[in-house]
Amino acid sequence: MGSRSRWLVPTALLGLGLFACSLPSDPVAPATELRTEIVRKPDGTAIVRVTFRKSADDGAGREIVAKYQLMRAHGSDAPVPVLSAEPEGASPGPGRAALDDPSAVPGETYRYFVVAHAEREQSKMTGAGGPSSTSRPSAPIRVPDAPAGSPAIAAIGAPTLLGVSSPEASDGRALQIKFRIAADDDGLVVREYRLLRAEGDGPFRAFRHKDIKAGPADGERERSETIAVPPGVAWRFQLFAVPARGEPVAAATTSAAAAAEPSYFNFSHLWLFFLLALTVALTVVFLYIASQPGARLFIRRIPGVDAIEEAVGRSTEMGRPILYVPGIDEIQNIQTIASLLILGRVSEIVARYDTEIRVPCCIPLVAAVGEEMVKQGFYNAGRPDSHKPQNIQWISSEQFAFCAGTNGIMLREKPATNIFLGRFFAESLILAETGYVNRAIQIAGTGEITQLPFFIAACDYTLIGEELFAVSAYMTHEPRLIGTLKAADYVKLVVGVVLLVMTLLLLPATWSRPAVVPQDRAHAAASDPHCVVLGWARRELACEPTKAAAAERMTAYQRDNPPSGFEQFVMKLVGYLQTG
Amino acid sequence: MLEKLATLDRRWLFLVMAIAIIVPLLVPVSLPFEASPPVRATYDAVEALRPGQTVLLSIDYDPAARPEVEPWARAVLRHLLRRRVKIVMMTLWDKAPPIVRSLINEIVLGEYNQRRGYFAPDQPGGRLAQDYAPYRYGEDYVFLGYKDGKEIVIAGMGQNLRQMFPVAEAEREGGDKIPVARIPVLSGISSLRDFALILEASAGFPGAKEYVQQVVTRYRLRFAAATTAVSVTDLSPYYPEQMLGLIGGMRGSAEYEQLVEAPGLGTSGLNVLTFGQIFVILAIVLGNVIFFLQRRLRPRSSPGAGGGVG
Amino acid sequence: MATHEIIGHWILIFLTISILSYLYADNPFYKLAEHLFVGTSIGYVVVVQWFDVIKPNLYDRLTNDALGPARIVYLIPLCLVLFLFAKLVPRFAWLSRISVAFVIGFYAGQNIPAYLNSDLVAQVASTLAAVTRATKPDATWHQMLGAFVLVVGMLSGLVYFFFSRRESGPLNAVARVGVWVLMIGFGASFGYTVQGRISLAIGRALEVFGMNRTAAQAEQLHGKLVAAVCVVVIFGIVAFLEHKRKLREAEAERLAAEQEKRENESR
Amino acid sequence: MKQTLPLVITFLIGTLMVAEFFVPHAGVHELTALLQEWGLVIAAAAFVLGGINVVQVNIPKIARRERDWGYRVVLIGSALAMVIAGFIPASVFKPETGAPLFGKEGIVFTFLFDYVFAPANATMFALLAFFIASAAFRAFRARNLEATLMLSAAIVVMVGVIPVGEWIWSGMPAVKQWILDYANNAGRRAIMVGVALGAVATGLRIILGLERSHLGD
């Protein structure tokens, strides 16, 4: 048997390696047969329409074209396209397509290119957007002069490319581009910013990236954008400001080459990491204490659990089976896992009393694992022969079909004890009511808060939330398992103390402040499209229903009463914890 | 007499309940009501969408939960069409695809594209989008289909939508599935982060809670959901910090219907609901009256189930 | 409407009333509906699981030539599946533990940070957010009271769950407050649930009566008539059966009492 | 070996999954995504075991003509009908126009789903409307302070939800909302924090191999 495990791991690694290597890397075939024409709009302005035959790979083969992008080069002799004329378009699939360039400047001459951006279905190991390919240029076309009296097209200023680096907590497939927006960019003159990228020292090419909107963000003119790039290559970038109409303006300098570096730790989860480390550390401490000879760790009584053995005894006396329902959720839910662990303990008791346990399950995998647990429980009790595998039954994985089937078992076999532990949903009341009418002793436990009132209403004992997770350890009285309970207990203590201290420190601010006119801010906050991404303070300001007045009032107030350092810290922390 | 009442056969309660539901349904009455802030917030968020933005509408309920969330699903779909946004639909519930298909058939293809019902332009309340053009499959809307995997799919979509949904349902039932890479609606959408708004009609697990836990908090998504009334208390901790709107049950659906001025099953159901609910309140009151009378007569008896917390 | 749709609708009404008859008592109609329901649900999930999970995620990948040698990686889940099936063969039953270990380990690990993040850290942060909101100058008195209740309630609730507390002692009094808060929460939850549950019954009534369809369709379906007939027939038969059962039970009881009496006399 | 290997696998995979949360590196995500798919496949394959289980439980009872055996025939029969209708390819009987007879989207399968499964499912769910009335009548009695608090909160919320509530007192919905937002959330969050810690403790017990009954102790 040892040999099996020896080749299991290498095979897995080999498989993964082969998987990664077998991915295609060729770009798609380019678009062909570009033709240009001038289209007059009703208002007299002219736009250039480019028609082309789509990539040969589009709609065939392993490569799939996700997008076509129209690019134009100024003048009739520029060898490479300078910039996209319009955002990407054209629905993928074979055949011909057309793309319009509405921003062409009257009187200028252009040549057009069509870039086909690939997107692979099976790509798992590469970044967003497959390699793209650029078509041969169209013949030069001159845009007709504007009708007399048209307003002149104003030139816009250039943006500044500040630097390129891997963003924080990067998965190794993204680069963050820092730039300063054009001096006259008010969000209207400039339509958007676009990037070209170059692989190493190669030429700059178009690539697919998300739209970089114009205008200051959060009032800041220095901005950053995170762009997905394929890993393992150093990229250089060139930034353009694209005006609403007219020629794009490039930043004075291109960026230095930078490769996307993956991060190995997400620092925005640092607090969580500390909390987890604290839990693990406390667990280790308590495991050590538990391992000391004669260690006795106290935990309070949980009456619902004490009742289980009693109820099993009663069932035995009445000669009726025990019903154990491990919830209806999949095995991936921790409540189900906790319930299955309890099932093992309960079946041990059942085996000792030599009575019968019925376990209807909603999920086949839960039934499979549950059967193992029961088998093991009977084995531990020294009665492996009394175990009847058919008593662990898969009913149906449909919630109410399962409920109907379990109801049937309750109605016709009349178990004297019903134990419902795990994750339950709406069926909880149907099960508990049927059990109540049957006069069974009922013990329920779940972390599902919405179902707890029904269990409380119809069951004799109800385990609330965390108590469910304590059952398995509680039933064994094994110091090591109790130790993990203790560890969680002390984390709870820490959490409670933190909450209390923070609240107390925030309180003085409340008393010292006068009340201003109340507003229905919950509603206002939620209705503003920007609210979710802003910090709390901005949100409160930006979202007042009577924006101007309220904002003014608050600004004045905050100017006069700046928040204390501690308040600022709490606000920062809260915002951070909520989003991290 | 009191003894008899205390151990009243519960079937009498069932009978009265049935009457409380069926009679108002057959003899309609209507009561005025106002939209609550979380519902209005959702409405406002949809109202704030610009034409051409892409919205994810996840339909996660089964036939059993239809009466509660479907009125909202219909109302919001109409609202989205009116806003002329691109709609990506999907589901995490294996029994939902027929529901989604019928929503598409009735509202997108039937009403909007045919300019009927709510969208009839010649009717006084007709609410066609300003830049009207029929919605086309793949270009203006798409139904990705059902994906098994529950919250794992949600987490996965947060990172890469296309990996989770490599193919989408075809326009016609039984047709070949379409690779998502070839669907124009999804251009520029690689993960949940790229949607202007994520809306969900959620009837339980996996649903709104999993969205919040797996992705909304993590990526700061704009998310609103309609849920069954049961889940409202479960989700209200997330409003308004994590969820920008929350529509609770038939009542919430009715409020939304009122906001978009398309009264439907939610509104008519709400009136019936009132009677059923009053009956439940009366049942509690009656139970307590009996309990106190009984206690006065025999101070130490304790009837009914012992609802001990253990 | 097609004929099969109309007949289907009548079957729907019959099944609906059959299941509702359970409210009166367990009876053959309910049993029939229950078993039909469980049976179709099993058939349904088996078909769905095959077409939606196993076929695309395993079968299609193993047989897809385009994937090339990368397919080898999918032999691992195949092995895990076979291991799981090994439980049917007692000699190799232990192999299934490998699959179980894989699944349990995977989800146990995944749950740890997920729960800590969204159910612990985010909830504490939301509470603190409510407190900061209450300290703002424009906070209303109900927001301040709310923040107070929130913090006190949450802390005392945590104390209730504190397993290291002794049965008697000051912490117990705090825990008692915690229980009150939990109970208010449960009450609110119940109150909200009522609405949802009644909506479901309304939904059934709407469907049975054909009220969620167009007027023309509803006319063809005769929902109200068929429902009335079903109610009368099913509940009539069920009431009759119940009556007979009660008579039988009374008879059995009488016989038992007589027997007991006779035994007592003979003793 | 039979005991250690599963323990080692649990530990390695569990630790990897915890690490996945903290490590943004794309490689880790890809690996876990792959493992995730395998988990799904295992769970789906278990349906075969489930099917075997259904047969194992029901067929002997039918063979022995146990009580209610006829209903078990109905159960097996309807399950088989659904499976057979679903698995026969749609191309077997396909009319010129309209939907095919067989297959997952075929007439037979959708008929059984729409007119047997769906209504039964919804009606089972709707039973709750009735049970909730009896539960309210029986269990919501002001036996002690805890029960009184529960029933008062329930009544306030119920009245706040219906239009009549607004009609009685316009502040009713606001009171309802306050209870939901604060009083309800306080208890709920306490439970959530507890559940989170319980989940973490259980998870750690499993990963560290302290709890190993599922692996055969």
Side-chain angles (χ1 to χ4, degrees):
Chain A
M1 284 302 149
S3 62
R4 186 182 295 273
S5 66
R6 236 174 286 142
W7 60 257
L8 204 68
V9 175
T11 310
L13 291 175
L14 181 72
L16 283 174
L18 284 173
F19 188 74
C21 298
S22 65
L23 293 159
S25 58
D26 305 329
V28 288
T32 49
E33 300 173 33
L34 268 63
R35 287 188 207 117
T36 49
E37 57 179 317
I38 299 293
V39 179
R40 290 247 178 224
K41 289 193 12 190
D43 62 354
T45 54
I47 57 172
V48 182
R49 174 165 296 165
V50 181
T51 59
F52 58 95
R53 177 163 298 284
K54 295 187 198 173
S55 160
D57 281 326
D58 199 353
R62 286 168 69 186
E63 305 292 351
I64 288 162
V65 179
K67 279 270 174 178
Y68 292 93
Q69 187 183 2
L70 191 60
M71 313 264 299
R72 72 178 183 221
H74 201 214
S76 57
D77 49 355
V80 286
V82 173
L83 196 67
S84 70
E86 253 304 271
E88 306 130 339
S91 61
R96 288 188 72 84
L99 286 171
D100 286 349
D101 173 14
S103 66
V105 178
E108 297 288 346
T109 302
Y110 295 111
R111 287 196 309 161
Y112 285 89
F113 300 76
V114 171
V115 183
H117 293 291
E119 163 110 26
R120 271 189 229 97
E121 241 189 281
Q122 307 289 0
S123 161
K124 280 205 158 186
M125 301 276 174
T126 59
S132 48
S133 60
T134 308
S135 70
R136 301 168 63 80
S138 68
I141 184 166
R142 185 174 179 280
V143 186
D145 290 323
S150 305
I153 295 166
I156 55 168
T160 316
L161 192 58
L162 299 172
V164 176
S165 58
S166 288
E168 255 180 57
S170 165
D171 62 357
R173 280 160 192 187
L175 282 172
Q176 192 177 40
I177 287 123
K178 292 198 177 71
F179 63 100
R180 187 181 303 119
I181 59 172
D184 48 357
D185 177 6
D186 56 356
L188 295 172
V189 181
V190 178
R191 194 183 64 209
E192 61 175 348
Y193 292 90
R194 285 204 75 91
L195 290 163
L196 295 187
R197 77 178 179 205
E199 196 176 330
D201 296 329
F204 283 99
R205 290 181 196 283
F207 71 107
R208 283 187 65 205
H209 62 78
K210 62 177 182 179
D211 296 346
I212 307 175
K213 290 189 189 72
D218 294 352
E220 294 293 327
R221 301 193 77 80
E222 272 185 21
R223 294 175 36 186
S224 67
E225 280 292 331
T226 306
I227 298 288
V229 292
V233 187
W235 299 99
R236 290 183 301 130
F237 290 90
Q238 192 171 22
L239 178 73
F240 288 85
V242 183
R245 201 165 160 82
E247 296 305 325
V249 181
T253 53
T254 59
S255 77
E261 298 286 344
S263 314
Y264 291 90
F265 188 79
N266 187 345
F267 282 93
S268 64
H269 290 156
L270 195 62
W271 287 87
L272 202 68
F273 184 78
F274 283 143
L275 196 63
L276 188 58
L278 176 73
T279 317
V280 174
L282 280 172
T283 307
V284 172
V285 168
F286 277 103
L287 285 181
Y288 173 76
I289 297 175
S291 70
Q292 298 298 303
R296 283 181 64 88
L297 294 171
F298 171 83
I299 55 169
R300 71 171 165 91
R301 273 187 65 233
I302 308 177
V305 186
D306 295 336
I308 292 179
E309 183 147 1
E310 206 177 295
V312 173
R314 196 181 93 126
S315 286
T316 316
E317 273 169 31
M318 297 174 76
R320 300 209 316 226
I322 288 142
L323 184 82
Y324 188 103
V325 185
I328 67 157
D329 203 357
E330 309 244 1
I331 203 153
Q332 55 225 47
N333 190 274
I334 197 86
Q335 293 185 42
T336 311
I337 297 177
S339 178
L340 285 171
L341 296 174
I342 303 166
L343 174 60
R345 315 278 181 222
V346 171
S347 45
E348 221 175 298
I349 302 177
V350 168
R352 276 213 308 275
Y353 278 85
D354 202 13
T355 182
E356 212 163 298
I357 184 166
R358 303 292 314 265
V359 187
C361 297
C362 187
I363 305 293
L365 191 55
V366 174
V369 180
E371 200 198 312
E372 291 286 311
M373 307 294 302
V374 175
K375 194 161 83 184
Q376 194 63 36
F378 274 74
Y379 182 85
N380 290 350
R383 291 172 187 268
D385 300 334
S386 313
H387 169 59
K388 291 186 195 149
Q390 69 271 24
N391 275 352
I392 294 87
Q393 201 180 336
W394 173 60
I395 305 280
S396 166
S397 58
E398 289 306 323
Q399 182 183 13
F400 285 101
F402 169 78
C403 176
T406 310
N407 228 12
I409 294 177
M410 279 199 248
L411 287 172
R412 285 146 219 156
E413 298 184 16
K414 303 217 182 304
T417 302
N418 298 337
I419 303 177
F420 308 113
L421 297 175
R423 196 169 188 205
F424 287 88
F425 297 94
E427 72 291 337
S428 66
L429 182 62
I430 299 184
L431 295 177
E433 273 282 313
T434 307
Y436 174 80
V437 173
N438 267 349
R439 305 219 165 80
I441 291 191
Q442 303 204 87
I443 300 161
T446 183
E448 210 54 27
I449 302 161
T450 42
Q451 303 310 328
L452 279 165
F454 303 112
F455 278 145
I456 291 177
C459 294
D460 301 287
Y461 296 93
T462 308
L463 302 170
I464 299 173
E466 195 183 356
E467 290 175 325
L468 171 68
F469 296 97
V471 176
S472 148
Y474 182 86
M475 284 178 88
T476 58
H477 297 290
E478 202 183 299
R480 284 190 311 168
L481 295 183
I482 304 269
T484 59
L485 276 190
K486 287 290 231 187
D489 240 12
Y490 282 86
V491 178
K492 214 176 314 169
L493 194 68
V494 171
V495 169
V497 168
V498 167
L499 181 61
L500 185 65
V501 169
M502 295 271 243
T503 308
L504 289 179
L505 288 172
L506 279 171
L507 274 188
T510 317
W511 293 320
S512 63
R513 284 180 180 177
V516 192
V517 188
Q519 297 275 354
D520 183 7
R521 277 172 303 105
H523 162 231
S527 64
D528 190 288
H530 302 291
C531 286
V532 177
V533 290
L534 299 182
W536 73 271
R538 278 188 58 79
R539 162 160 63 209
E540 303 277 315
L541 284 176
C543 310
E544 288 276 1
T546 50
K547 264 184 193 164
E552 211 169 289
R553 197 173 65 233
M554 280 297 285
T555 321
Y557 181 84
Q558 291 194 333
R559 192 181 50 234
D560 302 338
N561 308 279
S564 69
F566 176 73
E567 272 175 89
Q568 282 176 344
F569 166 74
V570 172
M571 288 158 201
K572 230 175 121 182
L573 185 72
V574 165
Y576 174 78
L577 290 179
Q578 279 184 326
T579 52
Chain B
M1 171 67 193
L2 203 59
E3 280 302 301
K4 210 164 190 179
L5 265 180
T7 54
L8 180 73
D9 192 334
R10 53 184 200 141
R11 286 180 285 193
W12 289 112
L13 296 170
F14 295 162
L15 183 66
V16 180
M17 191 63 171
I19 293 170
I21 290 167
I22 293 171
V23 172
L25 205 61
L26 299 178
V27 191
V29 276
S30 78
L31 297 154
F33 59 93
E34 286 267 318
S36 59
V39 176
R40 184 167 279 282
T42 314
Y43 172 84
D44 290 343
V46 175
E47 201 60 27
L49 290 170
R50 290 189 303 280
Q53 284 188 308
T54 313
V55 169
L56 181 73
L57 178 60
S58 190
I59 301 287
D60 302 322
Y61 59 88
D62 57 4
R66 258 180 132 142
E68 283 201 81
V69 285
E70 183 150 310
W72 178 78
R74 286 164 170 268
V76 83
L77 187 55
R78 289 188 176 118
H79 195 188
L80 291 172
L81 291 171
R82 199 174 86 208
R83 297 300 310 162
R84 198 64 217 182
V85 290
K86 293 179 178 170
I87 306 165
V88 177
M89 284 186 263
M90 55 162 275
T91 180
L92 299 170
W93 285 44
D94 58 355
K95 285 187 296 308
I99 295 176
V100 185
R101 286 187 209 115
S102 76
L103 282 176
I104 292 175
N105 282 333
E106 283 178 37
I107 295 174
V108 182
L109 305 179
E111 282 188 17
Y112 191 83
N113 284 4
Q114 314 273 328
R115 303 177 175 218
R116 284 211 202 110
Y118 179 69
F119 299 105
D122 45 347
Q123 293 212 340
R127 300 185 151 268
L128 216 50
Q130 293 213 314
D131 43 352
Y132 173 81
Y135 263 66
R136 283 163 306 172
Y137 193 86
E139 288 173 43
D140 301 307
Y141 73 98
V142 72
F143 173 40
L144 296 176
Y146 158 69
K147 173 82 181 181
D148 189 55
K150 314 222 152 56
E151 73 267 40
I152 295 159
V153 178
I154 300 175
M157 287 193 303
Q159 288 169 20
N160 189 340
L161 183 96
R162 287 156 189 241
Q163 196 174 312
M164 284 290 138
F165 280 96
V167 289
E169 293 247 325
E171 185 173 3
R172 276 177 200 83
E173 258 180 67
D176 287 337
K177 299 202 166 186
I178 323 163
V180 296
R182 272 189 225 148
I183 299 171
V185 182
L186 287 165
S187 59
I189 305 278
S190 58
S191 74
L192 289 180
R193 275 168 281 189
D194 300 319
F195 286 105
L197 182 64
I198 297 169
L199 296 165
E200 197 204 11
S202 158
F205 172 81
K209 190 174 181 188
E210 285 66 35
Y211 264 94
V212 173
Q213 285 179 343
Q214 301 284 345
V215 290
V216 173
T217 317
R218 193 166 176 180
Y219 304 118
R220 307 182 186 193
L221 303 177
R222 291 170 47 68
F223 178 69
T227 67
T228 53
V230 191
S231 319
V232 167
T233 47
D234 216 8
L235 290 168
S236 64
Y238 298 129
Y239 171 84
E241 269 86 23
Q242 282 121 308
M243 293 175 70
L244 57 81
L246 180 59
I247 289 103
M250 203 176 237
R251 161 97 209 220
S253 296
E255 289 172 6
Y256 205 92
E257 282 180 351
Q258 194 181 49
L259 286 171
V260 297
E261 294 168 39
L265 291 175
T267 312
S268 58
L270 179 63
N271 298 320
V272 187
L273 195 60
T274 308
F275 287 91
Q277 209 141 349
I278 289 172
F279 171 61
V280 175
I281 296 172
L282 289 180
I284 295 183
V285 172
L286 181 68
N288 277 289
V289 169
I290 295 170
F291 171 70
F292 279 110
L293 287 178
Q294 233 179 2
R295 199 160 65 167
R296 188 168 295 175
L297 295 179
R298 280 187 302 141
R300 254 188 274 168
S301 75
S302 64
V309 178
Chain C
M1 278 179 94
T3 320
H4 79 266
E5 284 181 282
I6 296 175
I7 294 173
H9 193 81
W10 293 346
I11 294 175
L12 174 153
I13 295 174
F14 173 76
L15 286 175
T16 303
I17 308 288
S18 296
I19 292 179
L20 287 177
S21 73
Y22 167 66
L23 292 171
Y24 189 80
D26 189 22
N27 66 74
F29 290 103
Y30 172 70
K31 279 190 212 170
L32 176 71
E34 174 202 311
H35 285 85
L36 256 180
F37 176 34
V38 175
T40 46
S41 78
I42 291 173
Y44 179 75
V45 292
V46 166
V47 172
V48 167
Q49 289 291 326
W50 168 258
F51 282 107
D52 287 343
V53 186
I54 305 187
K55 192 167 177 292
N57 286 333
L58 188 63
Y59 181 79
D60 284 356
R61 294 225 159 108
L62 281 168
T63 53
N64 183 357
D65 290 330
L67 282 176
R71 281 180 289 171
I72 203 169
V73 84
Y74 292 104
L75 288 177
I76 301 174
L78 187 66
C79 279
L80 288 171
V81 166
L82 293 179
F83 285 174
L84 189 69
F85 289 171
K87 75 197 284 294
L88 297 171
V89 189
R91 226 187 108 200
F92 297 110
W94 71 273
L95 279 175
S96 70
R97 287 180 204 154
I98 294 181
S99 307
V100 171
F102 173 84
V103 172
I104 301 257
F106 185 92
Y107 294 119
Q110 192 182 43
N111 275 311
I112 290 176
Y115 267 93
L116 270 188
N117 192 27
S118 65
D119 278 16
L120 197 155
V121 176
Q123 294 308 317
V124 173
S126 293
T127 302
L128 281 175
V131 175
T132 45
R133 209 179 303 135
T135 63
K136 303 259 326 272
D138 53 351
T140 54
W141 65 268
H142 56 81
Q143 276 176 332
M144 293 186 203
L145 179 65
F148 176 77
V149 169
L150 205 53
V151 173
V152 171
M154 198 170 158
L155 284 174
S156 54
L158 282 179
V159 171
Y160 171 77
F161 290 115
F162 198 58
F163 292 111
S164 306
R165 86 182 136 83
R166 302 271 162 184
E167 298 293 302
S168 56
L171 274 186
N172 240 29
V174 182
R176 184 101 200 274
V177 177
V179 174
W180 297 343
V181 175
L182 291 182
M183 283 298 166
I184 294 177
F186 293 150
S189 186
F190 181 93
Y192 236 89
T193 311
V194 171
Q195 182 199 2
R197 302 308 186 227
I198 297 173
S199 316
L200 297 167
I202 297 171
R204 287 321 293 150
L206 288 173
E207 181 154 18
V208 164
F209 295 157
M211 288 166 88
N212 56 355
R213 297 176 182 252
T214 59
Q217 284 177 330
E219 203 152 289
Q220 274 180 302
L221 292 172
H222 299 291
K224 287 173 193 168
L225 179 69
V226 178
V229 170
C230 281
V231 166
V232 170
V233 171
I234 292 176
F235 276 85
I237 294 176
V238 172
F240 175 68
L241 289 176
E242 268 295 284
H243 180 66
K244 257 177 62 183
R245 192 181 63 82
K246 277 203 183 125
L247 285 184
R248 244 196 344 262
E249 272 177 13
E251 180 69 17
E253 227 165 82
R254 198 176 57 80
L255 285 178
E258 264 177 29
Q259 178 132 18
E260 206 174 318
K261 208 171 154 195
R262 234 176 290 139
E263 272 172 21
N264 283 352
E265 278 169 10
S266 65
R267 208 178 294 156
Chain D
M1 169 67 199
K2 288 182 187 178
Q3 263 98 47
T4 353
L5 184 60
L7 278 179
V8 170
I9 292 178
T10 310
F11 178 78
L12 288 180
I13 299 211
T15 319
L16 173 74
M17 290 312 294
V18 175
E20 191 252 356
F21 190 84
F22 295 102
V23 181
H25 197 301
V28 179
H29 286 298
E30 259 138 30
L31 187 62
T32 53
L34 204 61
L35 295 181
Q36 216 148 39
E37 252 179 42
W38 299 354
L40 291 182
V41 168
I42 295 174
F47 276 83
V48 176
L49 287 179
I52 294 172
N53 181 293
V54 170
V55 171
Q56 274 178 342
V57 169
N58 287 295
I59 296 293
K61 290 190 176 165
I62 295 172
R64 286 199 299 267
R65 298 282 190 277
E66 277 186 24
R67 196 164 63 100
D68 289 346
W69 65 273
Y71 296 110
R72 292 179 191 273
V73 175
V74 171
L75 188 148
I76 301 272
S78 52
L80 276 180
M82 204 84 177
V83 170
I84 292 170
F87 275 102
I88 295 178
S91 53
V92 169
F93 184 85
K94 196 171 177 150
E96 295 282 305
T97 56
L101 193 59
F102 297 113
K104 218 175 90 182
E105 270 104 29
I107 292 173
V108 177
F109 194 80
T110 43
F111 183 89
L112 286 171
F113 180 85
D114 288 345
Y115 298 113
V116 178
F117 174 81
N121 194 33
T123 313
M124 213 55 213
F125 203 169
L127 285 180
L128 284 169
F130 300 93
F131 285 156
I132 213 164
S134 84
F137 172 72
R138 201 184 60 234
F140 275 51
R141 297 185 177 179
R143 233 171 277 120
N144 48 31
L145 182 59
E146 283 86 3
T148 314
L149 285 171
M150 180 154 96
L151 90 93
S152 323
I155 288 184
V156 171
V157 170
M158 269 190 268
V159 174
V161 163
I162 49 179
V164 176
E166 281 154 73
W167 181 67
I168 295 171
W169 176 43
S170 61
M172 213 61 192
V175 173
K176 177 212 82 181
Q177 202 59 41
W178 189 89
I179 290 186
L180 280 184
D181 287 349
Y182 298 108
N184 168 50
N185 270 352
R188 190 161 291 270
R189 284 186 182 149
I191 294 180
M192 280 167 109
V193 169
V195 166
L197 286 170
V200 172
T202 305
L204 283 178
R205 282 206 287 273
I206 288 168
I207 292 178
L208 299 178
L210 298 172
E211 211 39 288
R212 56 177 84 165
S213 41
H214 59 294
L215 303 175
D217 217 341

